[in-house]
Amino acid sequence: MTADIILSTRDLTIEFKGFVAVDGVSLDIRRGTIHALIGPNGAGKTTCFNLLTKFLTPTKGTITFKGNDITALRPATVARLGLVRSFQISAVFPHLTALENVRVALQRKRGGSFDFWRSERVLRALNDEALNLLDAVGLTDFAALPAVELSYGRKRALEIATTLALDPEMLLLDEPMAGMGHEDVERIAALIRRVSANRTILMVEHNLSVVASLSDHITVLARGKVLAEGNYSTVSSNPAVIEAYIGAGHA
C-alpha cells in the first residue's frame, strides 16, 4: 500500500443468512481527496459504509486505515484513530442549542466522562473552540438557537460541526444531501468542499450532480460488487454503469 492511501479494503464481504450484501469489495481511498461511493438502490453502499466504520463485522476481508489493520476494532476505537462518520439521519440533541451540541462533542474528544456536573465556567472554556466550529459551518448566527428550531439543512451542518469537533483525519458522510431542497444542497456542498481542504472525505450520495461537482474519484457499486471506478466523466459514460442505473429504474 502506498503512503498516499489512507483507507483501503481487500475482498471485503458480508453475508446475511445466505445473502451476500457486500461481495469482495476492494477500495483504495487517497489522502486529501473526496471519494464518492454511488450505485442504484440495493447496491450495498450503506452496508459497505457500516463495515468501514465498524458498525458491522465483515464475514471476510480486511480494512486498513493509515497502514493499520482495523478489521477487528470497535467503532469508538476507530473514531479515536481519526476515522469519523456522520449518519443519514441528523443526529443532534434537539433541545440543546447549536453551541451546546458542539460543546458536548468537544467533551467527547477528550475521552473519559462528560462534564455535566462541572461549573458553567469550566464549560465556557470550550466555547471559543465551539464557536470557531460553528463559524466553519456557517452557523455563527444560530449558536443560541435550540437544534430543534434549525432548518433541516442547518441541522445537517450542525451535525458536521459536531463531527469536526472530534478532529477527524477522514470524514465519512452518509447521504449528506438526503431530504434537502436546492438551497440547502448548495450550502452543504459548499461546506463539504471547505472542510475537505485538510481532510479526506468518503461519501455515499444519491445526488449525482453533487457527486459530479465534488468528487475527485468515484466507486460505483452494483449488487454488492465494484462495477466501475474513476472520475465522473469515466464512470458516467461506462455502459455497465448506465445499464445498472437504468435497469434499477434510475435515470
Side-chain angles (χ1 to χ4, degrees):
M1 187 178 68
T2 60
D4 65 339
I5 301 299
I6 189 170
L7 180 71
S8 68
T9 70
R10 290 295 176 269
D11 197 27
L12 195 63
T13 302
I14 189 167
E15 182 177 339
F16 300 103
K17 296 182 178 179
F19 171 70
V20 182
V22 173
D23 189 359
V25 168
S26 294
L27 297 172
D28 286 316
I29 314 296
R30 295 187 178 276
R31 291 180 184 273
T33 63
I34 299 178
H35 191 124
L37 195 60
I38 69 170
N41 289 335
K45 303 181 299 295
T46 296
T47 303
C48 188
F49 222 62
N50 287 331
L51 288 168
L52 295 176
T53 50
K54 308 308 299 134
F55 286 83
L56 289 173
T57 300
T59 305
K60 66 175 181 176
T62 59
I63 308 167
T64 305
F65 179 60
K66 296 192 295 186
N68 300 306
D69 189 334
I70 64 168
T71 312
L73 298 184
R74 297 172 63 86
T77 305
V78 170
R80 284 193 291 270
L81 291 174
L83 182 65
V84 179
R85 73 171 291 175
S86 73
F87 291 85
Q88 185 174 351
I89 300 172
S90 183
V92 295
F93 295 105
H95 299 294
L96 294 182
T97 66
L99 178 65
E100 289 166 342
N101 265 282
V102 179
R103 204 164 62 182
V104 168
L106 288 169
Q107 292 175 55
R108 286 167 58 200
K109 183 177 68 172
R110 293 167 48 197
S113 55
F114 292 100
D115 292 332
F116 294 123
W117 64 90
R118 303 291 292 278
S119 71
E120 182 65 19
R121 179 186 60 80
V122 173
L123 294 180
R124 279 199 301 268
L126 297 173
N127 279 1
D128 285 348
E129 190 174 355
L131 286 168
N132 285 339
L133 286 165
L134 288 175
D135 182 60
V137 300
L139 291 179
T140 299
D141 292 342
F142 303 91
L145 200 67
V148 71
E149 296 182 27
L150 295 172
S151 69
Y152 182 73
R154 290 193 171 100
K155 281 191 182 78
R156 298 312 303 264
L158 177 57
E159 186 192 25
I160 290 175
T162 61
T163 306
L164 294 176
L166 301 178
D167 198 23
E169 281 188 60
M170 184 168 178
L171 186 60
L172 292 93
L173 303 175
D174 189 6
E175 297 196 30
M177 312 300 174
M180 290 188 186
H182 180 70
E183 181 180 338
D184 282 335
V185 166
E186 288 188 346
R187 182 184 298 116
I188 297 301
L191 170 57
I192 291 169
R193 194 176 286 110
R194 286 202 306 275
V195 302
S196 70
N198 57 351
R199 294 175 183 87
T200 305
I201 293 179
L202 175 65
M203 66 177 184
V204 168
E205 182 51 57
H206 280 293
N207 188 323
L208 294 184
S209 64
V210 169
V211 171
S213 67
L214 286 180
S215 301
D216 301 300
H217 195 83
I218 299 166
T219 298
V220 185
L221 294 183
R223 297 184 177 87
K225 296 183 178 182
V226 174
L227 182 63
E229 289 192 285
N231 60 27
Y232 185 79
S233 175
T234 299
V235 300
S236 64
S237 61
N238 185 311
V241 174
I242 295 169
E243 174 63 26
Y245 271 88
I246 292 175
H250 292 271

